[in-house]
Amino acid sequence: MVPPVGVVAVTGTGGLRPATRNDLAALPLEVAPTLLGAHLVVAAEGETVVARITEVEAYHGAGTGEVPDPGSHARTGRSARNATMWGEPGHLYVYLSHGIHSCVNVVCAPAGVAGGVLLRAAEIVEGEQVAVRRRFPAGEPRPSRDLARGPGRLGQSLALRHRDHDGIDAVGGAVQAGAVARLLVRERPLEHVATGPRVGVAGLAGTDAFPWRFWIRGDPTVSAFRWGRGAAAAASGARKPAVLD
């Protein structure tokens, strides 16, 4: 079964500027497509890597927005794991996936309202050799498009680690565990952003009922789609909520 794909028209082009709290104060579903083409700059371990964001997914917490999100870490409320999602916008929620991969989210929505945008894929535009060394400490590297193609690879390329860097401030730029992160957003969002189901999310939350994944159409760094557990079976009966005006 091929997942449905749509296109969200987001007008304009432009350069980059430092993100503000206000840029990220809306709900994740609104903020997510505006982060495409943004740059996340991370100085860690004495070296700097810059990632141009090419694919994102929105996640809402309990009570966030009009449609409950069963795929979110914060779907049942605040916990020690997801506490950063409930905090000030502009911090990074860095969590551990499958006990191995550190995945990076930009916290969105006002403080006290849980939400985040998962950075699912990116192009490394500066510090490529640093990212190669981090990703492939031994053996032949894969093509450069694979350096941050997937959220675990992205976290590894940027040297952002669960626990050490969970909550790092990408707006204020404060040092945390030896790293500094800064988010640069586009002056004007990209046009013709593709949207479809989130990748690998279980059940209804991973179907076209939640087309909360956004990516730059045709970009080679965008990750391949795969159904989550039970999502393909749930897709046939999924109902689409209203997600964008």
Side-chain angles (χ1 to χ4, degrees):
M1 182 182 292
V2 177
V5 173
V7 174
V8 178
V10 187
T11 59
T13 59
L16 296 169
R17 60 172 175 78
T20 66
R21 306 280 180 215
N22 191 57
D23 291 325
L24 307 168
L27 297 186
L29 195 53
E30 300 173 53
V31 174
T34 73
L35 294 182
L36 294 174
H39 286 193
L40 182 59
V41 182
V42 179
E45 302 172 345
E47 299 176 294
T48 299
V49 173
V50 182
R52 180 181 69 94
I53 300 166
T54 59
E55 181 185 12
V56 296
E57 291 176 347
Y59 289 89
H60 288 186
T64 303
E66 297 180 359
V67 180
D69 181 3
S72 172
H73 288 174
R75 60 187 177 275
T76 60
R78 187 169 185 149
S79 68
R81 182 194 192 196
N82 66 37
T84 300
M85 292 182 72
W86 300 81
E88 187 178 42
H91 292 256
L92 302 182
Y93 168 48
V94 184
Y95 72 89
L96 200 62
S97 174
H98 302 294
I100 302 173
H101 307 294
S102 292
C103 302
V104 181
N105 300 253
V106 177
V107 175
C108 302
V113 178
V117 174
L118 174 66
L119 305 184
R120 168 154 281 283
E123 175 193 9
I124 302 302
V125 294
E126 292 185 32
E128 181 174 329
Q129 290 309 307
V130 177
V132 167
R133 190 169 65 251
R134 290 170 177 170
R135 288 270 293 111
F136 309 105
E140 253 340 275
R142 293 185 181 184
S144 59
R145 74 169 195 166
D146 287 338
L147 287 174
R149 190 173 182 238
R153 294 173 180 177
L154 186 150
Q156 187 178 7
S157 290
L158 295 176
L160 290 173
R161 297 183 299 275
H162 170 62
R163 294 193 187 280
D164 287 346
H165 302 123
D166 182 27
I168 191 170
D169 188 356
V171 170
V175 179
Q176 181 171 320
V180 174
R182 293 305 301 262
L183 180 65
L184 307 177
V185 295
R186 291 180 58 85
E187 292 281 0
R188 298 179 182 176
L190 292 172
E191 299 177 346
H192 306 305
V193 173
T195 179
R198 295 176 292 193
V199 176
V201 177
L204 185 67
T207 72
D208 60 338
F210 290 88
W212 292 9
R213 172 184 173 228
F214 304 88
W215 66 95
I216 300 174
R217 184 181 293 278
D219 193 289
T221 66
V222 172
S223 56
F225 180 82
R226 61 178 175 81
W227 294 107
R229 185 181 66 256
S236 59
R239 294 190 305 165
K240 295 182 180 179
V243 294
L244 289 175
D245 293 334

